[in-house]
Amino acid sequence: MSHAPSPTSFADEVRAIPGGEHLEMCYACGTCVSKCMIQQKVEPDYNPRRLLRQVMMGMRDEAFSNPTTWLCSACDLCYEACPQEIHISTVIDAVKQLAVEAGHTSPIETVSVEESLCSGCGICVMVCPYEAPHLIEKELDGKQDRVSEVDANKCMGCGICVAACPLGAISRPGVSNDDVVPQIAIERQQDGIPTLLTFVCDWSLRAAEDVSILESYPPNVRIVHIPCTGRIDPQMALMALKSGIDGVLVCGCKPGECHYKRGTSVSDCKISVLNRILEQMNLNHGQIRFVQIGTQDRGHIRFEVDAMLKHLADSKEAH
Amino acid sequence: MAEAKDKPKLAFYWAASCGGCEITITELGMRLIEVGEIVDIVFWPAILDFKYSDVETLSDSEIDVCFFNGAIRSSENEHIAHLLRRKSKVLIAFGSCAHEGCIPGLANLHNRESILMRVYETAPSLDDSQGTLPAMSNNVPEGTIELPTFYDHVKTLAQTVDVDYFVPGCPPVVEQVWNVFQTILTGTLPKKGAVIGADRLTNCDVCPRQKGQSGTRITEFKRPHEVDLDPDLCFLTQGVICCGPATRAGCGLPCIEGNMPCRGCYGPPDGVVDQGTKLLSAIAALIDTDDPKELQQIIDSIVDPTGTLYRFSLADSVLNDLKYRS
């Protein structure tokens, strides 16, 4: 008589997907939950430990409708912390694959492609941290054309592709050029107070405390929320300076702590090259700055904003 | 054959340019002869013997269409731009220099003083430079001759006078020049301010090379001569900066067919105000590292980022506006 579990159990199905095999090493300590940004910021019901337990107990429907299955962006902060060294995001991804096969869809607001604007350049395919976009051949206006198509079940809505798309063909409500560009404006201040546009990665605000710090500044400091600094288009920084804004501060996360895996490095690269370009034009006066704030650096954002304001005030005086 | 007075009057002029735009028109060959039959060319100093006084004697708006190539870099360029604007019903910025500054526009990385010093004092090809600069005014037996003023920076035609249409390209390719002629002669010009003689999307739309896959990343930027380039693969996937993603299509891809990356001469597509940063936004997202030190090394491998990303569009960029805003 065999005591082996049925080979078709839910847990077996998850284990059969590469990455899912770590499933039963979990002894439910909950360290992953304490590290998780999603749990802290958006979804108190988010709980990797509980999801893994549901899988082991064969609770298929509960696991498929669990927000944890869909919201994990594979930032892997929990992976580093897990005493069992479980690569939790790959286990969650295995559950998600089964959920998609079973007909469930992602609740995340994902990007969409305006096909008449898409050149099929494949930039979005290359830059996406989640392999969500791919190129397809299809008939458009009676002609065979190559355009990008986004797998809505893979897209996490980071906006890296929105910034990278040269034709503005990719959009997402709240993240598109039409949403962000109108926010690039600060009324000119009296008595020479410098104006500062601050792009803030929504995930780098480690606590509500940071939001209230930012909101406590007078109107010369304007906060623009973006899902990830990978969304930054350096064109926006130049347009801000052209509109008369004195400085642009882009606040991202430390490398390895980026909620969308690589957004902070992408942003670092963009702003670094932009500053080299400004240098070549003899225009680099430290007006555009990129800073990386760690997950544990609560309240640190104040120092960055203050330092930037001081720098801008000093250079105003020098001119 | 129609009398000259009934024919549409065309003018061609070159300001700060290399002459390539003129050559591309002559490349029309026999078709140019056909055009010559049905139009009256009233001014074309590069090809025919005309003087500025010939233009001055025309009535205002007497020229139907003026093709103006070249950027505005001297007082002479500017003077003729104003003159031709006044004398023309339709003024076309023809070619990359008039459209967006092109290679002459890269002078905006410097200024008048440093350019004159380089050319007349420090260039390695000078033999014992005395630092002698051209005199602005010279007395000769026939009288006094004056040199036009060399400006501090290069301007596009549209930064100088009102422009009706833009034909991109360094130079515009001959088939597109022919398309523009036909558009004009058939009276089917679009709304004022449009880019004509080009397509709507970017070069990637028509490029047959195999595009990058998920996870294709760049760990080092290389220049074309440093790589044995695969003619079937997207240049970006080979670590070589190609301006195609942010460059308007219409040229027919002669560079790419020659296994050289797009250099960006057809300018940005509609909706992009700054070609250089838009291109940067696309290629920077391809870098592959989490290590800030390595990231700086990768960036170091982009030789001359301004000259690479803004090779043709610098004088018409937001970057340029920042430097020269009043």
Side-chain angles (χ1 to χ4, degrees):
Chain A
M1 188 177 153
S2 168
H3 293 282
S6 153
T8 54
S9 80
F10 184 36
D12 280 345
E13 287 176 49
V14 171
R15 273 194 294 263
I17 294 173
E21 68 274 11
H22 298 296
L23 175 66
E24 58 197 38
M25 286 158 69
C26 173
Y27 53 55
C29 67
T31 308
C32 52
V33 184
S34 71
K35 279 282 170 185
C36 183
M37 285 299 138
I38 300 172
Q39 200 274 338
Q40 290 171 41
K41 280 189 62 78
V42 271
E43 180 57 70
D45 269 350
Y46 189 96
N47 192 321
R49 164 175 68 164
R50 192 180 302 156
L51 176 71
L52 267 52
R53 198 50 54 183
Q54 283 172 342
V55 173
M56 284 184 255
M57 293 170 72
M59 299 165 72
R60 188 184 294 263
D61 291 341
E62 289 82 350
F64 289 167
S65 55
N66 189 329
T68 314
T69 303
W70 301 100
L71 297 182
C72 173
S73 65
C75 71
D76 285 344
L77 284 174
C78 56
Y79 180 36
E80 282 171 29
C82 177
Q84 290 287 82
E85 296 179 19
I86 303 174
H87 199 178
I88 298 163
S89 64
T90 64
V91 182
I92 296 176
D93 193 54
V95 178
K96 183 165 142 181
Q97 283 183 42
L98 292 171
V100 171
E101 280 169 25
H104 292 256
T105 52
S106 169
I108 290 177
E109 189 148 41
T110 57
V111 302
S112 58
V113 178
E114 171 54 50
E115 289 175 343
S116 67
L117 284 176
C118 177
S119 72
C121 66
I123 297 277
C124 55
V125 177
M126 293 189 270
V127 303
C128 177
Y130 301 102
E131 303 187 357
H134 49 272
L135 296 180
I136 54 161
E137 297 279 339
K138 72 184 284 185
E139 200 179 296
L140 280 180
D141 295 333
K143 278 190 310 187
Q144 205 55 23
D145 209 350
R146 180 188 58 218
V147 290
S148 173
E149 185 182 72
V150 176
D151 183 341
N153 288 320
K154 288 186 175 173
C155 174
M156 298 305 299
C158 62
I160 293 177
C161 60
V162 177
C165 177
L167 283 155
I170 308 182
S171 60
R172 204 202 100 190
V175 179
S176 304
N177 290 338
D178 291 347
D179 300 304
V180 180
V181 173
Q183 297 183 56
I184 302 175
I186 306 177
E187 248 175 66
R188 199 169 287 279
Q189 301 293 301
Q190 300 297 317
D191 51 40
I193 294 171
T195 48
L196 176 64
L197 189 73
T198 311
F199 286 100
V200 182
C201 157
D202 272 343
W203 295 99
S204 76
L205 299 181
R206 297 312 177 204
E209 175 192 333
D210 280 20
V211 183
S212 58
I213 287 173
L214 287 171
E215 284 170 353
S216 71
Y217 281 92
N220 65 313
V221 177
R222 170 122 202 196
I223 314 295
V224 179
H225 290 272
I226 46 176
C228 175
T229 51
R231 166 65 187 97
I232 287 290
D233 179 343
Q235 202 175 222
M236 290 175 185
L238 291 186
M239 284 162 75
L241 296 188
K242 189 183 169 185
S243 78
I245 292 170
D246 295 309
V248 177
L249 179 67
V250 181
C251 303
C253 307
K254 289 246 161 79
E257 294 180 352
C258 178
H259 184 67
Y260 298 107
K261 300 195 205 185
R262 52 192 302 269
T264 191
S265 303
V266 165
S267 185
D268 192 2
C269 182
K270 287 178 195 175
I271 303 299
S272 298
V273 179
L274 180 60
N275 275 323
R276 288 182 190 206
I277 287 171
L278 290 169
E279 186 93 35
Q280 280 186 285
M281 286 293 274
N282 204 13
L283 285 171
N284 190 0
H285 313 302
Q287 285 172 288
I288 301 177
R289 192 179 282 180
F290 176 66
V291 292
Q292 295 176 321
I293 300 172
T295 40
Q296 305 301 324
D297 299 339
R298 288 180 185 217
H300 181 78
I301 201 157
R302 182 195 297 280
F303 295 100
E304 297 293 354
V305 173
D306 288 347
M308 188 71 180
L309 285 172
K310 180 172 185 314
H311 169 76
L312 295 174
D314 289 350
S315 17
K316 268 198 166 211
E317 214 165 275
H319 281 91
Chain B
M1 199 171 135
E3 292 295 314
K5 65 180 171 53
D6 303 324
K7 293 179 179 176
K9 289 187 170 64
L10 260 52
F12 299 89
Y13 184 69
W14 55 353
S17 69
C18 69
C21 291
E22 309 280 348
I23 292 170
T24 203
I25 297 172
T26 61
E27 270 184 56
L28 284 168
M30 290 309 290
R31 289 182 288 185
L32 187 58
I33 308 282
E34 286 166 33
V35 172
E37 295 285 321
I38 53 171
V39 302
D40 183 18
I41 296 172
V42 296
F43 185 57
W44 195 355
I47 304 291
L48 302 160
D49 185 19
F50 286 108
K51 302 285 182 260
Y52 290 159
S53 56
D54 296 321
V55 182
E56 280 155 9
T57 54
L58 296 171
S59 317
D60 286 359
S61 300
E62 192 174 335
I63 300 168
D64 288 288
V65 181
C66 173
F67 289 80
F68 191 107
N69 79 74
I72 307 301
R73 118 81 67 230
S74 72
S75 54
E76 181 191 22
N77 300 152
E78 181 164 15
H79 170 71
I80 302 298
H82 283 287
L83 178 66
L84 284 168
R85 172 67 280 183
R86 203 168 72 237
K87 302 293 180 184
S88 309
K89 288 191 191 74
V90 172
L91 179 66
I92 297 180
F94 183 75
S96 178
C97 289
H99 174 209
E100 50 176 2
C102 194
I103 303 296
L106 289 175
N108 294 2
L109 283 161
H110 309 277
N111 58 28
R112 183 178 194 273
E113 196 187 3
S114 67
I115 290 169
L116 291 179
M117 182 188 276
R118 173 75 179 169
V119 173
Y120 293 102
E121 290 183 42
T122 63
S125 55
L126 290 172
D127 184 20
D128 281 339
S129 169
Q130 305 295 306
T132 311
L133 294 176
M136 296 308 292
S137 165
N138 275 294
N139 290 317
V140 291
E142 293 81 4
T144 304
I145 51 172
E146 310 268 344
L147 276 183
T149 306
F150 181 80
Y151 286 163
D152 179 66
H153 63 276
V154 169
K155 285 195 262 183
T156 68
L157 185 59
Q159 286 164 1
T160 311
V161 293
D162 187 38
V163 172
D164 296 298
Y165 299 100
F166 301 86
V167 178
C170 178
V173 294
V174 64
E175 285 314 313
Q176 292 288 12
V177 176
W178 184 238
N179 290 341
V180 169
F181 274 21
Q182 286 181 317
T183 306
I184 292 166
L185 294 172
T186 54
T188 51
L189 279 165
K191 218 174 120 209
K192 183 182 162 164
V195 170
I196 55 175
D199 297 341
R200 187 175 58 94
L201 297 182
T202 57
N203 271 336
C204 297
D205 191 46
V206 284
C207 178
R209 289 180 177 242
Q210 191 186 332
K211 306 292 177 256
Q213 315 286 316
S214 289
T216 301
R217 300 270 189 271
I218 294 174
T219 50
E220 186 188 1
F221 288 97
K222 301 189 192 84
R223 289 192 280 174
H225 67 276
E226 297 171 326
V227 202
D228 187 10
L229 286 163
D230 186 324
D232 298 322
L233 296 181
C234 169
F235 290 100
L236 290 173
T237 67
Q238 304 181 65
V240 171
I241 294 177
C242 175
C243 301
T247 301
R248 190 185 285 272
C251 61
L253 310 179
C255 301
I256 286 166
E257 281 175 9
N259 208 13
M260 286 295 282
C262 169
R263 292 154 64 85
C265 77
Y266 263 62
D270 290 337
V272 173
V273 292
D274 192 273
Q275 191 184 14
T277 39
K278 194 63 248 188
L279 194 54
L280 170 61
S281 201
I283 63 168
L286 296 170
I287 51 112
D288 181 30
T289 181
D290 248 2
D291 174 8
K293 221 172 123 190
E294 200 185 331
L295 186 131
Q296 292 305 317
Q297 282 170 2
I298 297 176
I299 292 169
D300 284 341
S301 66
I302 305 177
V303 179
D304 184 11
T306 312
T308 306
L309 303 171
Y310 288 96
R311 187 178 282 119
F312 295 89
S313 65
L314 184 61
D316 194 30
S317 63
V318 179
L319 189 63
N320 190 77
D321 294 346
L322 285 180
K323 186 159 177 180
Y324 298 109
R325 68 183 162 191
S326 50

